[in-house]
Each structure stands twice: as C-alpha cells, then as structure tokens.
Amino acid sequence: MADELVLYTNPRSRGRVARWMLEEIGQPYRTEVLYFGTTMKAPAYLAINPMGKVPALKHGDAVVTEAAAICAYLADAFPQAGLAPSPGDRLRAPYYRWLFFGAGPIEAAVSNKAAGVAVPPERERMMGYGNIAQVMNVLEAAVSRGYLVGDSFTAADLYVGFAIGFGLMFGTFEKRPAFEQYWRRVSSRPAFIRAKGLDDTSAPR
Ligand SMILES: N[C@@H](CCC(=O)N[C@@H](CS)C(=O)NCC(=O)O)C(=O)O
C-alpha cells in the first residue's frame, strides 16, 4: 500500500497552497485542520512542526514543512504529474530560481509591507530583496513571459502564483495587468478550483 499523505492545515492559511499542490498531484490525501493558538501550538502538532505553524505534510513517516518545500517535495515525489523539470534538466535552474525567489524575496518583501516595516534606503543592500519595487518589477517581467519555467506550468508557478493571487486580494500586490493576467491563467486550473472549493467549505467558524 502506498504511504499515506496527510495535510496539516487551516483553510485560512498558507495551507491553501499545499492543498492546491495536492490537488494537482491527484493522489489521495487526508486533511487535519489545526486551529490558530490552540491545536496548532499543542504538543501533538509541535512534534510535527516545532514552529507551530501550518502547513505541514506527512508522507508515510517523512515530514515536510514550509509551503514551498511541500510543493517541491510533492512535485519530485510524484513526477508523473509533470510539475517539475527532471533532476539534471537545465530547466531545473529557473525552477529553483523562482521557487526560492518566491519563498525568499517575495515573501519577505510582502510580509514587511503588510507589517508596515520600512527599510531605510541605506539598509537595502543587506536585505535579500533590496526593495519591494525592485521585487515587483522583476516578477512582472518574469510572469509576462507566460510561465516561469519553460513553456509549461510547474510548482514554481503554483507557489509564486498563489503569492500573487493572495497579494492582489489583500492589497500587498499592485494591480498590474501582468499580475492580473497571470493570476487569471493559473487560477483557472481545475486543481486550484477544487482546492479552493474544499478550503472554502471547510473554513472553521
Ligand atoms: N514559512 C512558513 C510560514 C507558515 C505560516 O506562517 N503559517 C501561518 C498561517 S498562514 C501560521 O501557521 N500561523 C500560526 C502561528 O504562527 O501561530 C511557510 O511558508 O509554510
């Protein structure tokens, strides 16, 4: 029997990106919903993710946390889904580049913006993202190509696309036409629509 996949999540969290990825993979999985401040910080869950944050994924006895790592892990564990270039393929270069750009510069720039943290210009050179305008301009050019890696959708588009969609909704991303078009393209995928439906209907009160 195949190892069980378990998603630890909360529908109002970055767990949504992991569910989208699981829906793309098309393998059966079980969901455990954790609640902010209670079960998410309880010893049983801290044994899975000592950060007390969601998402986390268990695959048999393997545990992976960090939304981007979950996407990368699943893409490699289930290559038949075609969501990552094969190891050794030169397209692995832009694939890693954009996944890490999403989890590093985009995440940090957008989180700082949301928290009202202003980086003084003289400190930009030590910030991994420089400044948010630079991150947005680089990303705008990248998504204007169509997909981030070669000519097809990968886990990098899923992870970065989710950040764009979330940012457009919550105002941390400017409504630039390239972002809106890209988000329309990636969010029209049947797996995203299924994942959204599942999370929207399991939203805790
Ligand atoms: N770096 C983590 C961040 C995960 C994270 O911050 N999750 C938030 C929800 S979106 C969370 O679980 N917060 C609960 C808490 O910190 O108590 C990832 O990318 O997965």
Side-chain angles (χ1 to χ4, degrees):
M1 201 178 94
D3 283 335
E4 186 186 33
L5 284 164
V6 185
L7 171 66
Y8 299 87
T9 189
N10 179 292
R12 296 200 185 119
S13 79
R14 292 165 171 90
R16 291 178 88 101
V17 76
R19 190 193 285 278
W20 179 9
M21 186 68 193
L22 281 160
E23 289 295 324
E24 292 281 355
I25 292 298
Q27 300 292 316
Y29 64 94
R30 182 164 69 76
T31 304
E32 284 204 16
V33 174
L34 281 306
Y35 294 88
F36 289 101
T38 58
T39 49
M40 227 180 266
K41 304 297 181 195
Y45 183 63
L46 292 176
I48 293 163
N49 186 0
M51 290 290 286
K53 285 178 170 284
V54 290
L57 179 81
K58 247 172 117 175
H59 183 204
D61 56 10
V63 173
V64 54
T65 67
E66 299 300 314
I70 292 170
C71 293
Y73 174 83
L74 286 170
D76 286 350
F78 299 98
Q80 62 275 25
L83 292 171
S86 307
D89 187 322
R90 291 291 172 94
L91 284 177
R92 204 79 176 178
Y95 174 68
Y96 280 140
R97 175 189 185 175
W98 293 113
L99 260 182
F100 283 77
F101 192 78
I106 296 175
E107 165 83 20
V110 167
S111 297
N112 274 350
K113 179 174 176 179
V117 174
V119 177
E122 69 276 14
R123 293 281 179 183
E124 283 179 6
R125 68 168 70 170
M126 59 164 288
M127 301 302 286
Y129 68 88
N131 61 60
I132 192 163
Q134 195 174 10
V135 171
M136 293 295 148
N137 292 340
V138 167
L139 187 59
E140 181 179 21
V143 301
S144 299
R145 285 184 59 250
Y147 291 111
L148 293 170
V149 181
D151 297 326
S152 62
F153 179 86
T154 64
D157 292 292
L158 187 152
Y159 183 75
V160 170
F162 184 86
I164 292 175
F166 187 88
L168 289 172
M169 191 184 311
F170 291 100
T172 47
F173 265 71
E174 289 166 31
K175 292 194 178 343
R176 299 186 188 180
F179 292 147
E180 293 185 312
Q181 276 161 29
Y182 179 73
W183 173 239
R184 265 198 300 280
R185 180 165 347 114
V186 298
S187 65
S188 67
R189 293 180 66 82
F192 173 79
I193 294 163
R194 275 197 310 276
K196 182 177 182 319
L198 288 166
D199 276 327
D200 287 352
T201 51
S202 83
R205 283 166 285 157

